[in-house]
């Protein structure tokens, strides 16, 4: 057993670093180095909430245009609460993990109906809102309202486990809870005098994790305001931490995406109300990797008359627990007739782009469709 394992096995009550010592250096560094981000231009809890939810699975640069558009279309909590489903899904299109925005709308309705339209101003009350967990509640409470509470995410776990050479599994809730408690205690101790702020500390952790204590590359320790406290750095073992043991391998699913169209219209369908990508629109995507004959048979099985087929490039999409490995075909049919049978609908190819939220999982095929307008030829 290593010294560190001893420290965190028997003597867990004696943490390696007094976290109150890192508060001031991190806040001072943040004051000078903070990134200029659209959601940092004010302290509106609604703005911080939207940004934090968007950032959960998406990079900062990618989030910026979505964030601006979302707030332009839905500038208040009430606008979000009353927004129609199709419009909401369209606003979220490209961000993925649509349950996030459904939960946001449910929480917006809670705020309007149960809180009289007043945004909760502390972590405990924020945790009662749908889809808001400990990290998001901590981020909103500290940044918008200055409450001395932690916001423990992957950045914090990485930085602290490196600082302390903590070899425990960061997938364990008990480890996260303990970090949350220790950071909150440190913030209460250091921020009471007003020199450092919980907002600067938590956002400093976000910036440190994004630009210095990097997740998938060697950290830039010479730029780190915490390097003098860091045991992993002192021992040259920065990238050995954090340890993640609980992550399950993703399940692989093979699918064949079919762009079935005539001259002007394309066939799409709505997914089931529950489960992966619930209630969103999709191109038909039977399970397995179909060959040409099987793809043609599938279209014929829908009562259509395929006349031409073209193979499209394979694509992948990674969900949290599943990976889709996709092949695809464009299938031209003679004519669709007036309407498709439920759950399918026929829509103008242009309409897909304007009005229907097609999940990012299909973006390779969606983009192909956008490039190859209604009159592109298919191979025989
Ligand atoms: S010194 Fe290096 S490893 Fe340690 S917290 Fe800073 S960037 Fe991360």
């Amino acid at each position: 057993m290593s010294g560190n394992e001893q420290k965190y096995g028997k003597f867990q009550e004696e943490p390696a670093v007094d976290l109150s010592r890192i508060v001031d250096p991190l806040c001072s560094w943040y004051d000078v180095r903070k990134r200029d981000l659209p959601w940092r231009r004010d302290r509106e809890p609604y703005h911080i909430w939207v940004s934090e939810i968007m950032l959960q699975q998406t990079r900062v640069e990618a989030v910026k245009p979505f964030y601006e558009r979302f707030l332009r279309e839905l500038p208040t909590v009430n606008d979000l609460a009353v927004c129609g489903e199709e419009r909401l899904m369209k606003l979220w299109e490209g961000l993925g993990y649509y349950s996030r925005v459904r939960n946001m709308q449910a929480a917006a309705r809670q705020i309007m109906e149960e809180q009289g339209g007043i945004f909760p101003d502390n972590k405990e009350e924020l945790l009662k809102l749908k889809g808001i967990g400990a990290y998001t509640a901590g981020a909103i409470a500290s940044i918008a309202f200055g409450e001395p509470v932690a916001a423990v995410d992957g950045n914090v776990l990485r930085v602290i486990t490196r600082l302390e050479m903590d070899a425990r599994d960061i997938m364990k809730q008990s480890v996260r809870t303990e970090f949350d408690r220790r950071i909150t205690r440190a913030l209460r101790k250091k921020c009471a005098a007003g020199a450092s702020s919980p907002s600067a500390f938590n956002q400093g952790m976000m910036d440190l994790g994004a630009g210095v204590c990097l997740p998938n590359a060697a950290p830039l320790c010479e730029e780190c305001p915490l390097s003098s406290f860091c045991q992993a750095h002192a021992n040259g073992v920065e990238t050995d931490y954090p340890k993640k043991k609980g992550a399950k391998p993703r399940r692989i699913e093979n699918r064949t995406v079919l762009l079935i169209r005539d001259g002007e219209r394309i066939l799409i369908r709505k997914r089931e109300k529950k489960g992966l990508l619930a209630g969103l629109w999709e191109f038909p995507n039977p399970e397995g990797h179909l060959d040409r004959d099987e793809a043609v048979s599938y279209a014929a099985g829908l009562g259509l008359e395929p006349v031409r087929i073209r193979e499209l490039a394979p694509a992948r999409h990674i969900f949290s627990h599943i990976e889709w490995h996709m092949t695809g075909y464009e299938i031209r049919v003679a004519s669709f007739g007036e309407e498709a049978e439920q759950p399918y609908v026929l829509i103008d190819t242009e309409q897909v782009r304007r009005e229907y939220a097609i999940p990012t999982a299909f973006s390779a095929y969606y983009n192909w469709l956008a490039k190859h307008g209604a009159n592109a030829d298919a191979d025989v």
Side-chain angles (χ1 to χ4, degrees):
M1 184 182 279
S2 73
N4 192 56
E5 282 166 328
Q6 283 176 353
K7 198 181 298 162
Y8 281 104
K10 276 186 177 171
F11 308 115
Q12 196 169 322
E13 70 282 4
E14 294 175 24
V17 174
D18 174 0
L19 293 183
S20 66
R21 294 174 65 208
I22 68 170
V23 175
D24 289 344
L26 185 60
C27 289
S28 302
W29 176 84
Y30 175 75
D31 282 343
V32 177
R33 294 281 303 268
K34 64 181 157 215
R35 292 173 291 174
D36 178 24
L37 301 172
W39 43 91
R40 287 182 175 170
R41 291 182 190 145
D42 59 59
R43 292 184 158 210
E44 266 296 313
Y46 176 54
H47 298 174
I48 294 159
W49 178 35
V50 171
S51 70
E52 286 299 339
I53 299 294
M54 286 185 173
L55 287 164
Q56 278 172 12
Q57 308 283 350
T58 314
R59 288 176 305 105
V60 165
E61 284 309 312
V63 160
K64 285 179 182 173
F66 287 104
Y67 172 82
E68 309 267 13
R69 185 182 66 169
F70 194 90
L71 289 186
R72 211 167 37 243
E73 296 279 326
L74 306 175
T76 66
V77 176
N78 188 50
D79 292 319
L80 171 57
V82 300
C83 181
E85 188 187 3
E86 293 295 337
R87 185 169 166 231
L88 192 62
M89 294 302 113
K90 193 69 192 159
L91 279 172
W92 205 259
E93 185 184 49
L95 284 166
Y97 299 93
Y98 287 78
S99 59
R100 291 182 293 166
V101 72
R102 289 185 207 280
N103 286 339
M104 277 182 77
Q105 185 171 54
R109 289 175 178 162
Q110 278 179 276
I111 293 171
M112 297 313 299
E113 289 161 18
E114 297 166 18
Q115 316 276 341
I118 310 287
F119 215 102
D121 66 359
N122 61 78
K123 187 171 181 177
E124 199 182 331
E125 290 299 313
L126 285 160
L127 279 168
K128 294 177 184 167
L129 297 176
K130 180 122 189 186
I132 295 195
Y135 166 75
T136 308
I140 299 171
S142 60
I143 299 168
F145 302 109
E147 189 182 7
V149 286
V152 176
D153 68 349
N155 289 322
V156 172
L157 292 166
R158 184 167 61 259
V159 171
I160 307 288
T161 54
R162 285 175 177 176
L163 286 178
E164 303 189 326
M165 285 176 63
D166 184 339
R168 289 177 297 169
D169 179 5
I170 59 161
M171 299 303 285
K172 282 193 174 160
Q173 188 54 44
S174 56
V175 175
R176 292 163 184 245
T177 305
E178 185 208 303
F179 283 2
D180 191 296
R181 185 177 46 74
R182 287 176 57 208
I183 291 170
T184 297
R185 197 168 57 202
L187 289 174
R188 285 194 183 136
K189 182 172 166 190
K190 294 301 288 186
C191 298
S196 292
S197 77
S199 167
F201 180 85
N202 285 336
Q203 293 186 90
M205 273 290 180
M206 294 172 197
D207 286 14
L208 194 73
V212 178
C213 199
L214 304 169
N216 299 316
L220 310 176
C221 300
E222 63 286 357
E223 295 179 25
C224 179
L226 309 181
S227 59
S228 61
F229 304 97
C230 184
Q231 297 185 1
H233 179 52
N235 288 282
V237 291
E238 298 92 336
T239 52
D240 286 356
Y241 300 88
K243 308 279 189 194
K244 246 190 215 182
K245 295 165 198 152
K248 282 191 199 153
R250 291 191 196 92
R251 189 174 80 240
I252 308 286
E253 283 186 9
N254 293 331
R255 310 199 82 86
T256 303
V257 178
L258 302 175
L259 304 181
I260 304 175
R261 51 197 299 224
D262 66 3
E264 287 148 12
R265 294 176 301 167
I266 187 160
L267 194 70
I268 61 171
R269 68 183 175 195
K270 201 161 204 183
R271 289 179 67 87
E272 299 284 328
K273 282 193 173 148
K274 290 206 166 153
L276 188 70
L277 305 176
L280 297 173
W281 294 95
E282 66 178 1
F283 304 115
N285 57 94
E287 275 184 36
H289 286 163
L290 308 190
D291 62 25
R292 282 174 174 248
D293 290 344
E294 289 167 333
V296 167
S297 298
Y298 184 89
L302 299 175
L304 303 169
E305 270 183 64
V307 291
R308 286 181 289 182
I309 182 165
R310 168 167 25 193
E311 192 166 349
L312 306 176
R316 269 183 194 205
H317 187 77
I318 296 174
F319 300 94
S320 49
H321 304 302
I322 301 171
E323 247 179 83
W324 276 5
H325 292 190
M326 295 169 279
T327 55
Y329 297 98
E330 181 204 33
I331 297 177
R332 290 283 186 143
V333 296
S335 161
F336 277 127
E338 281 303 300
E339 284 189 17
E341 281 185 28
Q342 289 282 349
Y344 294 93
V345 294
L346 290 168
I347 51 166
D348 183 274
T349 312
E350 279 299 308
Q351 242 183 316
V352 180
R353 272 181 280 164
R354 281 198 313 269
E355 294 169 29
Y356 289 80
I358 304 280
T360 323
F362 297 102
S363 61
Y365 300 100
Y366 179 89
N367 292 340
W368 185 91
L369 190 67
K371 263 197 209 154
H372 297 76
N375 297 317
D377 286 333
D379 298 336
V380 177

